[in-house]
Each structure stands twice: as structure tokens, then as C-alpha cells.
């Protein structure tokens, strides 16, 4: 059964159990999807209203793009756990001969790389959703201003949570070029996203 087909109580019960997956990666993806959904909701509550007619095109853009990001992040919830299961499967591989040990080592490297790609995708999607959230500030339904603040908080959590998952995986990867690429890329996203999330939250806070 897919994680995304589970009820919220069932998913959180599994998350809180002694099962190694789902874990922080899937939780981060869920947080990101909630943030994208909230921003989309605010745009939906703004679209079509005469008071905000000047921003109708922007709201429609946010609805479309925010919806796409939400679905992508929902999809990553399962893909992140599947990637982790790939690491777990390596431990069951035989390691009696030199050939088996080499195959096991190569499989682990591939699995760790897969476990790096999904949280990096979360970071990219969540940053894009944050940028949509910022564009909605001051142009959307003021009755839903607090929802933009919550969107910023959940998207920030998604980005930082995904980053922790990247770090724990690249620590075991021997491909230095791969490690550098995703470390540098992740740090660049953090440098842009975290101040942006804080700015959105403080702006909303000042309006309430």
C-alpha cells in the first residue's frame, strides 16, 4: 500500500513505529506538499474576486504551479521511502566472495545516491513553492494571510528536513563530484530559501 493512500492516523502511526521507513524524508516531503497546498488555497480564495482583479492572472498562475508542486511533493513521499528501502535491501546481499563484496559495495553507493536525489528534489520544489508564496504576499485575500505564514513555515521545515537527509547520505558516498554537486546545490537552496521563509513569516506576522 502506498503511503499516500493511507489515512492520516495510519500514516502517523507507521511513522511513529519501529519501522525504519517512512522517516524524516517522507515527513519532509509531506510538509512541503502541505505548504504548496496552503499557498494554492490562498490563491484559490483570491481568484475571481473583484477586489483582487488586478492580480487575477498571478493567482491563476499560483493555482496551476502550486498545484503541480503539491502533486510532485506528494509523489516524493513514497519515492523517498522506496529509495531508503533500496539501502536496506543491500544489507541482505551476500558478501562471502570478493566479487559479492564488490557488488554489494557498488549497490550501496547507488542506493545512497538515490537517497540523495529525492530530498534534493524536495528542496527544489519547496523553494519554488516559497517563491510563489512570496509573490502572493500583499496581492491575495487578506482573510487568508495567516495561511501564507503557515505555508512559509512548513516549506522551510521541508527544506531543512530534506537537507538533513542529504547530509546523512552523502557522508557515505565515495563519488566526490557527486557529493560536491549536491552539497553545493543544497547550500545554495538553503541560502536563498531560509531568509525568504523568514521574510514571509515576519511580513505576515506584521500584518496580523
Amino acid at each position: 500500500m502506498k503511503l499516500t493512500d493511507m489515512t492520516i492516523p495510519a500514516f502517523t502511526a507507521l511513522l511513529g513505529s519501529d519501522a525504519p521507513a517512512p522517516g524524516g524524508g517522507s515527513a519532509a516531503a509531506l510538509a512541503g506538499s502541505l505548504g504548496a497546498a496552503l499557498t494554492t488555497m490562498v490563491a484559490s480564495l483570491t481568484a475571481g474576486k473583484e477586489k483582487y482583479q488586478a492580480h487575477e492572472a498571478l493567482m491563476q498562475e499560483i493555482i496551476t504551479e502550486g498545484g503541480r508542486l503539491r502533486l510532485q511533493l506528494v509523489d516524493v513521499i513514497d519515492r523517498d521511502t522506496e529509495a531508503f528501502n533500496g539501502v536496506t535491501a543491500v544489507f541482505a546481499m551476500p558478501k562471502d566472495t570478493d566479487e559479492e563484496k564488490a557488488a554489494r559495495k557498488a549497490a550501496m553507493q547507488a542506493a545512497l545516491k538515490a537517497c540523495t536525489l529525492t530530498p534534493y528534489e524536495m528542496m527544489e520544489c519547496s523553494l519554488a513553492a516559497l517563491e510563489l508564496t512570496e509573490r502572493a504576499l500583499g496581492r491575495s485575500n487578506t482573510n487568508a494571510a495567516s495561511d501564507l505564514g503557515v505555508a512559509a513555515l512548513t516549506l522551510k521545515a521541508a527544506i531543512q528536513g530534506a537537507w538533513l537527509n542529504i547530509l546523512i547520505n552523502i557522508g557515505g558516498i565515495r563519488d566526490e563530484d557527486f557529493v560536491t554537486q549536491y552539497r553545493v546545490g543544497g547550500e545554495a537552496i538553503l541560502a536563498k530559501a531560509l531568509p525568504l521563509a523568514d521574510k514571509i513569516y515576519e511580513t505576515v506576522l506584521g500584518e496580523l
Side-chain angles (χ1 to χ4, degrees):
M1 183 179 186
K2 293 179 63 176
L3 297 174
T4 50
D5 290 335
M6 299 174 74
T7 63
I8 293 174
F11 176 80
T12 54
L14 180 59
L15 191 64
S17 73
D18 61 358
S26 289
L30 175 59
S33 68
L34 294 175
L38 281 168
T39 297
T40 305
M41 180 195 78
V42 173
S44 297
L45 290 171
T46 305
K49 290 184 169 53
E50 185 176 351
K51 180 179 179 180
Y52 303 101
Q53 185 59 40
H55 307 299
E56 180 68 20
L58 173 60
M59 293 305 115
Q60 292 299 333
E61 180 183 344
I62 292 174
I63 290 169
T64 299
E65 183 62 10
R68 184 189 68 77
L69 291 168
R70 174 184 63 81
L71 289 174
Q72 187 171 350
L73 285 159
V74 166
D75 185 57
V76 181
I77 294 173
D78 277 293
R79 287 195 283 113
D80 186 79
T81 291
E82 289 166 4
F84 178 81
N85 289 340
V87 171
T88 303
V90 174
F91 291 111
M93 294 177 65
K95 53 179 179 178
D96 297 322
T97 67
D98 289 342
E99 290 77 9
E100 288 174 344
K101 289 176 182 178
R104 194 172 187 266
K105 183 177 180 180
M108 178 58 76
Q109 289 297 300
L112 288 173
K113 286 183 177 182
C115 281
T116 301
L117 297 179
T118 48
Y120 192 80
E121 183 178 345
M122 294 174 213
M123 292 185 77
E124 291 180 316
C125 289
S126 296
L127 172 58
L130 263 179
E131 291 170 339
L132 287 179
T133 306
E134 181 190 32
R135 293 178 67 192
L137 279 177
R139 302 178 179 89
S140 53
N141 195 322
T142 55
N143 293 324
S146 61
D147 296 296
L148 291 179
V150 177
L153 291 173
T154 52
L155 290 166
K156 181 182 180 182
I159 289 167
Q160 290 183 295
W163 177 238
L164 294 178
N165 278 267
I166 288 174
L167 291 177
I168 200 169
N169 287 303
I170 63 175
I173 296 174
R174 301 292 173 254
D175 183 340
E176 293 183 7
D177 290 339
F178 182 94
V179 170
T180 298
Q181 177 183 348
Y182 287 95
R183 183 183 291 278
V184 171
E187 288 173 347
I189 292 174
L190 286 173
K192 188 171 185 178
L194 302 190
L196 180 58
D198 290 342
K199 172 192 170 185
I200 294 168
Y201 175 77
E202 292 299 333
T203 300
V204 170
L205 196 60
E207 294 175 349
L208 299 180

